[in-house]
């Protein structure tokens, strides 16, 4: 076989492999879309205020400890705490964990909420870095602030768990703003399941472009920055399609660290948060593993309507940094629990969820990048290569843009967070352009994340924030 013949054979193999892979992906996500459509239809127009109002007075409503890890969150932490103080829920406490911030996060908290230091004694069920001080607000008795040595987000959350008083806790990012009824909605499946649901996650939406005042969403809007608009589309597809479909059959391995509620007993038994890049996913995988090993019939669910609004990167530099970190975190979770892969002992988690996250979510960018390279080479080779490349391109449009457009339609049909018709039109238009510029960028960044895995890079990477609220 000559070099030219070998090259042609390799090119054809890559082309056909990408083709078959993309067909499989489209069928998989098409199935998730149908499941999401049916699930949203089943709950259509049931997520207004009335079904949740009774939870404010029910005796079985579970009290919740809200944990807010904060490291240099001076810009957004005030809005987050204010939004939490105004949520509608019968009984809760807020614990802000200042994880050794080098800015004025702690000073702002002390001054704004009139904090006084306590001589607290607490049970240390999880190991953490030393606690420097514990403060309580003189104005809001349910607001506590913990000052500790820097140990990372996982360590901060474990410190918050140690100090928490209630059987369920919620992790919230320091730059998040919650809707007033978000907790009633995210806690509903836990309350109704009588303990069978041990973790529940809500949706994360992008706050850039929204009007927010003193921790409250005044008006939902869409950013004028194209990069942010594409992230809105991406989030809609990930949450409204992916997580609804996986959650429906208890296959969900990710509850966003920006908004998730957990049973404290189960998390402590699992060993708390581990110091990984993707500590939120790793904990959920470990909980699934514990459930299977104890032969319990517990569930981890996703609820589409309760929403936490968070700030998205507006520059390529910080978005690239975020996506590389997410991809490294994904690998860490898979690698730490590789024992589950194709292991029938762990049921559908081992046979479906873990292979999905490995072969589609983690390795998928490598296949997609191969497809892009094939398309570029076909321009010079011409002939049948170019014809096949056009087919691959049309499949990529179907896989990316069409599914994103479907997610936008699901948003408008069910949740309807965007009041302006023009915002939906803009989201729809940007969905059409996804495969022309945005998706190739994210594919390249995720491949960089894979390279960093082999280089054993573990740093978090600075994320610059400008704040989304006054």
């Amino acid at each position: 076989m000559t070099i030219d013949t070998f090259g042609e054979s390799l090119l054809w193999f890559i082309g056909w492999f990408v083709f078959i892979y993309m067909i499989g992906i489209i069928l998989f996500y098409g199935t998730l879309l149908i499941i999401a459509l049916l699930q949203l239809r089943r709950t259509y127009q049931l997520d207004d205020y009335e079904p949740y109002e009774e939870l404010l007075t029910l005796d079985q409503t579970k009290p919740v400890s809200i944990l807010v890890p904060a490291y240099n969150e001076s810009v957004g932490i005030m809005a987050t705490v204010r939004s939490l103080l105004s949520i509608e829920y019968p009984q809760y406490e807020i614990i802000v964990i200042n994880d050794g911030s080098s800015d004025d996060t702690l000073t702002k908290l002390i001054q704004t909420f009139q904090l006084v230091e306590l001589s607290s004694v607490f049970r240390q069920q999880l190991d953490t870095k030393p606690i420097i001080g514990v403060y309580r607000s003189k104005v809001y008795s349910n607001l506590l602030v913990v000052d500790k040595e820097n140990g990372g987000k996982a360590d901060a959350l474990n410190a918050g768990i140690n100090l928490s008083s209630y059987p369920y806790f919620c992790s919230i990012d320091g730059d998040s703003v919650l809707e007033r009824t978000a907790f009633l909605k995210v806690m509903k499946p836990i309350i109704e399941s009588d303990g069978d649901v041990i973790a529940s996650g809500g949706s994360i939406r992008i706050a850039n472009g929204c009007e927010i005042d003193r921790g409250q969403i005044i008006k939902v809007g869409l950013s004028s920055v194209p990069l942010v608009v594409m992230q809105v589309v991406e989030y809609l597809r990930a949450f409204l399609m992916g997580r609804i479909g996986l959650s429906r059959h208890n296959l969900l391995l990710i509850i966003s660290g920006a908004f998730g509620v957990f049973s404290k007993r189960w998390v402590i038994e699992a060993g708390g948060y581990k110091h990984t890049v993707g500590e939120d996913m790793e904990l959920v995988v470990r909980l699934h593993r514990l459930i299977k090993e104890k032969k319990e019939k517990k569930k981890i669910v996703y609820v589409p309507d309760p929403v936490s609004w968070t700030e998205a990167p507006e520059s390529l530099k910080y978005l690239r940094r975020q996506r590389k970190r997410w991809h490294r975190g994904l690998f860490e979770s898979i690698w730490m629990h590789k024992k589950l892969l194709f292991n029938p002992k762990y049921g559908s988690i081992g046979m479906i969820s873990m292979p999905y996250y490995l072969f589609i979510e983690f390795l998928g960018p490598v296949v997609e990048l191969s497809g892009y390279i094939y398309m570029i080479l076909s321009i010079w080779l011409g002939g049948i290569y170019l014809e096949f490349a056009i087919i691959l391109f049309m499949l990529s449009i179907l896989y990316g843009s069409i599914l994103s457009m479907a997610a936008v339609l699901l948003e408008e049909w069910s949740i309807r967070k965007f009041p302006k018709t023009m915002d939906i039109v803009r989201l729809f238009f940007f969905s059409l352009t996804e495969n022309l510029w945005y998706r190739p960028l994210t594919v390249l960044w995720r491949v960089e994340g894979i390279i960093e895995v082999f280089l054993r890079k573990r740093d978090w990477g600075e994320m610059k924030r400008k704040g989304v609220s006054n």
Side-chain angles (χ1 to χ4, degrees), residues 262-387:
F262 297 86
S263 164
K264 185 166 75 171
R265 179 179 71 83
W266 275 86
V267 170
I268 290 174
E269 186 174 351
Y273 286 90
K274 302 298 182 184
H275 185 63
T276 64
V277 178
E279 75 290 322
D280 44 5
M281 177 180 179
E282 194 280 324
L283 174 63
V284 174
V285 177
R286 194 153 22 94
L287 286 172
H288 272 298
R289 184 172 182 170
L290 184 61
I291 290 168
K292 295 296 183 183
E293 289 174 352
K294 294 186 69 172
K295 295 182 169 58
E296 296 269 7
K297 292 185 177 180
K298 303 297 182 181
K299 295 179 180 179
I300 295 172
V301 303
Y302 163 71
V303 188
D305 192 20
V307 170
S308 173
W309 298 85
T310 190
E311 182 181 358
E314 293 190 350
S315 72
L316 290 172
K317 173 184 176 181
Y318 291 110
L319 182 60
R320 174 186 176 221
R321 189 173 291 174
Q322 180 193 68
R323 296 314 162 89
K324 289 194 298 179
R325 185 182 73 243
W326 284 1
H327 218 64
R328 285 188 283 123
L330 172 63
F331 175 79
E332 271 192 314
S333 297
I334 295 171
W335 182 252
M336 289 176 69
H337 300 282
K338 56 185 178 294
K339 176 184 175 182
L340 277 65
L341 267 169
F342 299 112
N343 190 334
K345 173 184 174 181
Y346 296 96
S348 56
I349 296 298
M351 302 304 291
I352 299 175
S353 288
M354 290 292 284
Y356 159 72
Y357 280 99
L358 174 61
F359 293 110
I360 295 179
E361 291 293 335
F362 181 70
L363 294 176
V366 176
V367 180
E368 286 190 60
L369 183 61
S370 301
Y372 291 134
I373 293 172
Y374 181 93
M375 292 179 203
I376 293 170
L377 290 176
S378 70
I379 296 173
W380 279 274
L381 295 172
I384 196 168
Y385 295 103
L386 183 58
E387 294 172 4

Side-chain angles (χ1 to χ4, degrees), residues 60 116 130 164 182 241 257 293 402 410 461 465:
Q60 63 263 38
V116 292
S164 64
M241 282 178 50
E293 289 174 352
I402 302 301
L410 277 179
R465 305 188 190 280

